[in-house]
Short mmCIF file of all heavy atoms in Angstrom, two decimals:
data_model
loop_
_atom_site.label_atom_id
_atom_site.label_comp_id
_atom_site.label_asym_id
_atom_site.label_seq_id
_atom_site.Cartn_x
_atom_site.Cartn_y
_atom_site.Cartn_z
N HIS A 286 7.72 -0.19 -14.40
CA HIS A 286 6.92 -0.57 -15.56
C HIS A 286 5.42 -0.20 -15.36
O HIS A 286 5.02 0.13 -14.23
CB HIS A 286 7.06 -2.06 -15.79
CG HIS A 286 6.68 -2.93 -14.62
ND1 HIS A 286 7.58 -3.21 -13.59
CD2 HIS A 286 5.52 -3.56 -14.28
CE1 HIS A 286 6.97 -3.95 -12.68
NE2 HIS A 286 5.71 -4.17 -13.06
N LEU A 287 4.68 -0.24 -16.46
CA LEU A 287 3.26 -0.06 -16.45
C LEU A 287 2.55 -1.41 -16.62
O LEU A 287 3.13 -2.32 -17.18
CB LEU A 287 2.83 0.86 -17.58
CG LEU A 287 3.49 2.26 -17.60
CD1 LEU A 287 3.06 3.00 -18.84
CD2 LEU A 287 3.10 3.02 -16.35
N GLY A 288 1.32 -1.47 -16.19
CA GLY A 288 0.55 -2.71 -16.42
C GLY A 288 -0.93 -2.43 -16.22
O GLY A 288 -1.35 -1.27 -16.07
N ALA A 289 -1.71 -3.47 -16.19
CA ALA A 289 -3.14 -3.37 -15.88
C ALA A 289 -3.55 -4.73 -15.35
O ALA A 289 -3.03 -5.75 -15.76
CB ALA A 289 -3.94 -3.03 -17.12
N THR A 290 -4.49 -4.70 -14.36
CA THR A 290 -4.89 -5.95 -13.75
C THR A 290 -6.34 -5.91 -13.27
O THR A 290 -6.83 -4.81 -12.91
CB THR A 290 -3.93 -6.23 -12.54
OG1 THR A 290 -3.97 -7.62 -12.25
CG2 THR A 290 -4.24 -5.48 -11.31
N PRO A 291 -7.02 -7.04 -13.28
CA PRO A 291 -8.41 -7.03 -12.82
C PRO A 291 -8.52 -6.77 -11.33
O PRO A 291 -7.63 -7.11 -10.56
CB PRO A 291 -8.90 -8.48 -13.14
CG PRO A 291 -7.83 -9.16 -13.87
CD PRO A 291 -6.58 -8.36 -13.71
N CYS A 292 -9.65 -6.11 -10.97
CA CYS A 292 -9.95 -5.89 -9.55
C CYS A 292 -11.46 -6.08 -9.40
O CYS A 292 -12.20 -5.11 -9.55
CB CYS A 292 -9.51 -4.47 -9.11
SG CYS A 292 -9.90 -4.11 -7.42
N PRO A 293 -11.91 -7.29 -9.10
CA PRO A 293 -13.33 -7.54 -9.03
C PRO A 293 -14.08 -6.60 -8.14
O PRO A 293 -15.23 -6.18 -8.41
CB PRO A 293 -13.43 -8.99 -8.48
CG PRO A 293 -12.11 -9.61 -8.90
CD PRO A 293 -11.11 -8.51 -8.85
N GLU A 294 -13.45 -6.19 -7.01
CA GLU A 294 -14.09 -5.26 -6.05
C GLU A 294 -14.47 -3.91 -6.73
O GLU A 294 -15.46 -3.33 -6.36
CB GLU A 294 -13.12 -5.00 -4.89
CG GLU A 294 -13.64 -4.19 -3.74
CD GLU A 294 -14.42 -5.00 -2.73
OE1 GLU A 294 -14.53 -6.24 -2.91
OE2 GLU A 294 -14.94 -4.38 -1.80
N LEU A 295 -13.69 -3.51 -7.70
CA LEU A 295 -13.92 -2.19 -8.33
C LEU A 295 -14.55 -2.30 -9.70
O LEU A 295 -14.84 -1.30 -10.37
CB LEU A 295 -12.65 -1.38 -8.38
CG LEU A 295 -12.02 -1.04 -7.02
CD1 LEU A 295 -10.76 -0.22 -7.17
CD2 LEU A 295 -13.01 -0.29 -6.13
N GLY A 296 -14.66 -3.52 -10.21
CA GLY A 296 -15.33 -3.73 -11.50
C GLY A 296 -14.43 -3.41 -12.72
O GLY A 296 -13.20 -3.23 -12.54
N GLU A 297 -15.09 -3.32 -13.87
CA GLU A 297 -14.38 -3.06 -15.11
C GLU A 297 -14.05 -1.57 -15.26
O GLU A 297 -14.78 -0.76 -14.65
CB GLU A 297 -15.25 -3.49 -16.32
CG GLU A 297 -15.54 -4.97 -16.33
CD GLU A 297 -14.34 -5.81 -16.69
OE1 GLU A 297 -13.45 -5.29 -17.43
OE2 GLU A 297 -14.29 -6.96 -16.26
N PRO A 298 -13.07 -1.13 -15.96
CA PRO A 298 -12.05 -1.95 -16.63
C PRO A 298 -10.96 -2.37 -15.68
O PRO A 298 -10.98 -1.99 -14.46
CB PRO A 298 -11.49 -0.99 -17.70
CG PRO A 298 -11.62 0.38 -17.04
CD PRO A 298 -12.87 0.32 -16.20
N ASP A 299 -9.97 -3.09 -16.14
CA ASP A 299 -8.79 -3.43 -15.32
C ASP A 299 -8.17 -2.16 -14.68
O ASP A 299 -8.22 -1.06 -15.31
CB ASP A 299 -7.70 -4.11 -16.17
CG ASP A 299 -8.06 -5.55 -16.51
OD1 ASP A 299 -9.13 -6.02 -16.08
OD2 ASP A 299 -7.28 -6.17 -17.23
N LEU A 300 -7.59 -2.34 -13.53
CA LEU A 300 -6.90 -1.19 -12.89
C LEU A 300 -5.58 -0.92 -13.63
O LEU A 300 -4.79 -1.85 -13.85
CB LEU A 300 -6.52 -1.57 -11.45
CG LEU A 300 -7.55 -1.47 -10.36
CD1 LEU A 300 -6.91 -1.91 -9.05
CD2 LEU A 300 -8.08 -0.04 -10.27
N PRO A 301 -5.34 0.35 -13.93
CA PRO A 301 -4.02 0.65 -14.54
C PRO A 301 -2.96 0.67 -13.44
O PRO A 301 -3.22 1.17 -12.33
CB PRO A 301 -4.19 2.06 -15.12
CG PRO A 301 -5.32 2.65 -14.37
CD PRO A 301 -6.18 1.51 -13.86
#
Side-chain angles (χ1 to χ4, degrees):
H286 56 276
L287 302 175
T290 200
C292 177
E294 185 84 2
L295 299 181
E297 298 288 333
D299 285 358
L300 279 178

